[in-house]
Amino acid sequence: MKSPIAAQRLLRGADYRPPRWLRNPHLQSVLSSSSSLLRRVVLRRRARFVAQVTHTEVLDVDGGVRLQGFHSAQQVLPERRGLVILLHGWEGSAQSNYVVDTAAALLGAGYDVYRLNFRDHGDSHALNREPFHSCRLDEVAAAVAQVCARPGAGLRAVAGFSLGGNFALRVARAAPARGIALDYALAVCPVIDPARGLRQLERGWLYHAYFMRKWRDSLRRKQALFPELPVLRRGDRRLNMRELTRALVQRYTPFASLEAYLDGYSVAGDRLARMQVPATILAAADDPVIPVADFRALRLPDCVELDIAPHGGHCAFLTGAGLRSFVGDYLLARLDARAPTPRVPLRT
């Protein structure tokens, strides 16, 4: 017998209808970005709500790797409804606006939240000697496995944005073989084909400049902490994204070429076809960073839902002047359909 919640109609991407002034995908993406001061100011009350129930820790995972995490325990129900692990995008962090906004929505609905920083993101550059790259799936999967194995009621889910969405899909794909107790995954505007995504960024000067500024700042910070490493050589400062990626692939990965590295974290084509964990991919047809054709070319199993909204920009889906995201309600609808007990909504 289905629960009343499970019988409710789930939100769909088509239900996202931004006001006319917010339909520009570039405006959406800029306002939603991890460094948007305006959105940070508007969401400061929700950020305080999250911070009040958050404990910071460092996870020791395989091979001596250490990753920073932020565990937030819900306070609105006698027993939590579940646990959701949130994964940020490239050069974002667990403190990014879109991550904190989603965390607040989940906490207000009775879910515990664990926000994980990838290595060299946020304030974690000193934790590991070797730099971050996007094929470091093992350590992220090990961290998710550790958190999911902790005692506590309810389902276990992972939700990621952009590169974090790509990681969420790869973790979910690997979960059965790795013994990870994962019930659901949501990927918001995930990187599908990194080679095509790189070409898309190269065509958009605004996004290329934004990510290069943040990436160079991160590499300079890493270099200062580990001066003996060739993280960012003098000549590297003149390289574009493609050539700087190529240089770091040669120094710090086992891949023989840039092309092999990009293929190493691709989930394009039929690479998700054998996935067993139920999942949703939420994409936007007007995403200026991830080509929508990549989503339409996916070959997915029945347990993976592809939902392409007409609007939303890159990981934004902002609903109005309050700069709240549709993603929180969208994710809650899918979690509620799987959670065993009804939730009590809380305004935050």
Side-chain angles (χ1 to χ4, degrees):
M1 178 179 176
K2 285 187 176 182
S3 72
I5 292 176
Q8 292 175 5
R9 177 182 176 273
L10 292 180
L11 284 174
R12 302 285 303 168
D15 295 318
Y16 170 64
R17 299 185 181 93
R20 188 173 298 278
W21 67 272
L22 260 179
R23 290 181 187 173
N24 183 290
H26 305 293
L27 178 62
Q28 280 265 350
S29 303
V30 169
L31 287 176
S32 179
S33 73
S34 60
S35 59
S36 170
L37 179 59
L38 175 60
R39 193 175 187 209
R40 190 172 300 278
V41 170
V42 171
L43 295 178
R44 63 187 180 277
R45 181 167 174 263
R46 290 169 71 76
R48 285 198 299 269
F49 169 67
V50 173
Q52 287 168 359
V53 295
T54 296
H55 166 73
T56 305
E57 64 183 25
V58 173
L59 296 175
D60 291 308
V61 298
D62 299 344
V65 173
R66 297 187 298 162
L67 297 180
Q68 186 180 45
F70 302 84
H71 179 248
S72 305
Q74 66 84 28
Q75 306 289 317
V76 300
L77 296 175
E79 186 176 69
R80 75 181 194 187
R81 306 197 70 224
L83 166 73
V84 183
I85 300 167
L86 298 180
L87 304 178
H88 58 80
W90 182 46
E91 291 307 325
S93 77
Q95 307 296 345
S96 292
N97 296 321
Y98 54 88
V99 177
V100 172
D101 186 32
T102 306
L106 291 164
L107 289 165
Y111 292 91
D112 283 3
V113 176
Y114 198 96
R115 292 171 290 141
L116 181 70
N117 268 336
F118 300 139
R119 73 161 73 190
D120 296 347
H121 287 73
D123 190 28
S124 70
H125 293 70
L127 293 180
N128 302 283
R129 187 172 185 272
E130 294 290 304
F132 170 82
H133 63 73
S134 299
C135 289
R136 294 194 185 275
L137 175 63
D138 287 348
E139 63 194 51
V140 175
V144 171
Q146 269 195 38
V147 176
C148 285
R150 294 176 178 178
L155 56 78
R156 272 77 166 163
V158 61
F161 301 81
S162 194
L163 180 61
N166 171 282
F167 269 100
L169 291 171
R170 286 186 288 152
V171 168
R173 181 181 60 185
R178 293 173 182 256
I180 303 174
L182 195 63
D183 299 300
Y184 176 71
L186 171 68
V188 181
C189 302
V191 175
I192 299 296
D193 183 335
R196 283 172 54 86
L198 177 56
R199 288 195 293 272
Q200 184 86 348
L201 280 174
E202 288 172 326
R203 286 194 287 265
W205 66 268
L206 174 65
Y207 302 101
H208 186 276
Y210 169 79
F211 281 110
M212 285 302 293
R213 177 183 60 79
K214 296 197 75 175
W215 191 22
R216 286 193 183 105
D217 286 346
S218 177
L219 292 174
R220 278 194 287 267
R221 185 174 181 183
K222 188 75 172 182
Q223 183 70 76
L225 287 164
F226 298 94
E228 74 280 7
L229 295 181
V231 179
L232 191 63
R233 294 171 174 168
R234 184 179 299 275
D236 293 344
R237 302 174 193 277
R238 296 189 296 271
L239 299 178
N240 61 22
M241 186 178 293
R242 178 177 296 274
E243 295 310 316
L244 184 54
T245 304
R246 191 191 309 277
L248 291 176
V249 164
Q250 292 171 351
R251 290 173 208 164
Y252 292 111
T253 81
F255 296 96
S257 66
L258 171 64
E259 293 71 25
Y261 164 71
L262 295 173
D263 188 62
Y265 67 101
S266 173
V267 294
D270 63 357
R271 298 187 188 205
L272 300 175
R274 295 186 179 180
M275 209 162 115
Q276 299 173 40
V277 173
T280 302
I281 299 171
L282 175 62
D286 63 357
D287 190 328
V289 175
I290 311 295
V292 70
D294 289 0
F295 298 105
R296 293 181 172 138
L298 287 169
R299 293 189 287 281
L300 301 171
D302 291 342
C303 66
V304 180
E305 167 193 29
L306 174 61
D307 192 1
I308 302 177
H311 303 286
H314 186 60
C315 297
F317 301 95
L318 302 179
T319 57
L323 301 184
R324 295 277 298 274
S325 176
F326 171 80
V327 170
D329 289 337
Y330 184 93
L331 173 56
L332 281 171
R334 278 153 180 76
L335 295 175
D336 285 352
R338 294 170 168 82
T341 57
R343 65 182 170 97
V344 178
L346 175 70
R347 289 187 176 274
T348 59

